[in-house]
Amino acid sequence: EAVFGATTDRDEIAFLAIGHLRRRFDRAIFFQLGRDQISGWHGAGVGVDEGEVGEYRASFEQPSIFLNLRQGNSLYLGPLPPMPIHREMAALWGGNLPDRTAMVPVALKGRPVAVIYVDGTDAAWSGFELESLRRLGRLVADAFERCIREKKRSVSAH
């Protein structure tokens, strides 16, 4: 919590969260949710190419877990379903569709603006409490809100 509170840079917040998640999981990726599309933001892990993550784009017109999270689901836990949008996403790390994944939205004022994705082996999930992933999503949201407030303050000061 202290680490997130010490920065007002949203990229740094994403990197800190990914670093934290990578201690346990094979992959951790942040996606941004826009009005019409999902875009890759930052990611790390087994087979993940950060440059390709930044190039990833998908439409909300396609069925996906992203769409469910955007419409109000608070968490997804399970296999990555074999839908076209998920296959394109899995290409970011070599194409396999993991059986053990979680996706949690990061919401600002009730509106999901990002999704945190993780996957890992059975060992990674052993003893893991999903509430800690939800809590991380809330910490990231709080940090993003602080970034926005700080940016508004600096703009109004000029």
Side-chain angles (χ1 to χ4, degrees):
E1 291 181 42
V3 173
F4 284 111
T7 183
T8 55
D9 180 84
R10 53 190 290 269
D11 287 323
E12 186 175 348
I13 293 164
F15 287 128
L16 289 167
I18 288 168
H20 173 73
L21 292 165
R22 280 287 297 130
R23 291 188 301 212
R24 178 177 281 270
F25 295 104
D26 289 346
R27 285 175 279 272
I29 301 173
F30 264 76
F31 295 92
Q32 295 182 92
L33 304 182
R35 175 176 284 148
D36 301 320
Q37 73 174 5
I38 303 112
S39 55
W41 184 13
H42 294 296
V46 179
V48 174
D49 179 323
E50 175 81 19
E52 288 184 29
V53 169
E55 297 296 316
Y56 178 81
R57 302 283 182 276
S59 169
F60 277 118
E61 293 179 10
Q62 301 178 57
S64 71
I65 295 168
F66 292 108
L67 188 57
N68 294 344
L69 294 171
R70 185 176 131 190
Q71 294 173 340
N73 288 9
S74 65
L75 176 79
Y76 174 80
L77 179 66
L80 198 56
M83 299 173 175
I85 195 170
H86 300 145
R87 290 188 190 283
E88 292 168 15
M89 185 174 103
L92 298 173
W93 58 77
N96 68 315
L97 296 172
D99 291 328
R100 306 283 311 256
T101 71
M103 294 171 80
V104 65
V106 174
L108 298 179
K109 296 182 180 171
R111 182 179 154 256
V113 296
V115 167
I116 302 169
Y117 167 90
V118 295
D119 68 46
T121 63
D122 289 345
W125 292 99
S126 178
F128 182 74
E129 295 182 19
L130 288 177
E131 183 53 35
S132 64
L133 193 56
R134 285 189 182 105
R135 185 168 168 261
L136 179 64
R138 289 190 300 270
L139 286 171
V140 168
D142 291 347
F144 285 170
E145 285 180 3
R146 202 172 37 262
C147 289
I148 292 167
R149 283 193 308 270
E150 187 63 33
K151 188 173 185 178
K152 285 180 181 178
R153 256 186 243 135
S154 69
V155 168
S156 66
H158 289 103

